[in-house]
Amino acid sequence: MWCFKLLLSEMSSRLTHCCTLELLPLMELPAVKIGRAKQLYNAGFKTLNILAKTDPKTLVQAVDHMPQRIAHQIIAAAKLMLLAKAESLQEEAEDVLEGLRETSR
């Protein structure tokens, strides 16, 4: 059943947001709905990593009707989400390494 875990979580996310697979990471950001996600994607901001590295002024210029305040919020949220994912991956890696150390004793 482990193989269905990723499939079902991704599918439920797609159904919740009613969007295509490539828009899912953008839809997880606060203040981003389907229209804004499409605008971001079409403007070249396809991943959270790209958004996190973007200057708010660049985002405002690239996306129509994007207020400066919303651009700051979107970029800050992208950075926070990436940091949370990095911390989670780091904890998981530490757990794996600890398990390997225990089995080698």
Side-chain angles (χ1 to χ4, degrees), residues 26 37 39-47 50-51 54 58-59 62-63:
L26 300 174
Q39 283 181 317
L40 290 167
Y41 190 85
N42 291 335
F45 303 101
K46 298 179 181 194
T47 65
I50 293 171
L51 273 172
T54 302
T58 305
L59 193 57
V63 179

Side-chain angles (χ1 to χ4, degrees), residues 11-101:
M11 183 61 74
S12 69
S13 206
R14 283 183 68 185
L15 289 173
T16 300
H17 296 299
C18 297
C19 67
T20 59
L21 186 60
E22 54 271 351
L23 295 179
L24 274 179
L26 300 174
M27 293 291 295
E28 293 175 7
L29 292 166
V32 174
K33 300 210 182 320
I34 189 76
R36 180 76 73 201
K38 286 180 181 178
Q39 283 181 317
L40 290 167
Y41 190 85
N42 291 335
F45 303 101
K46 298 179 181 194
T47 65
L48 293 178
N49 194 23
I50 293 171
L51 273 172
K53 293 178 182 178
T54 302
D55 182 54
K57 291 178 185 177
T58 305
L59 193 57
V60 169
Q61 292 170 351
V63 179
D64 292 335
H65 310 293
M66 170 76 73
Q68 188 82 20
R69 180 180 57 82
I70 298 296
H72 280 285
Q73 287 177 351
I74 289 172
I75 291 169
K79 288 178 181 178
L80 284 175
M81 289 177 72
L82 287 175
L83 283 173
K85 287 181 182 181
E87 288 175 0
S88 175
L89 288 172
Q90 187 175 13
E91 289 174 5
E92 189 177 328
E94 289 172 359
D95 290 344
V96 168
L97 289 174
E98 186 176 310
L100 289 174
R101 288 186 198 120

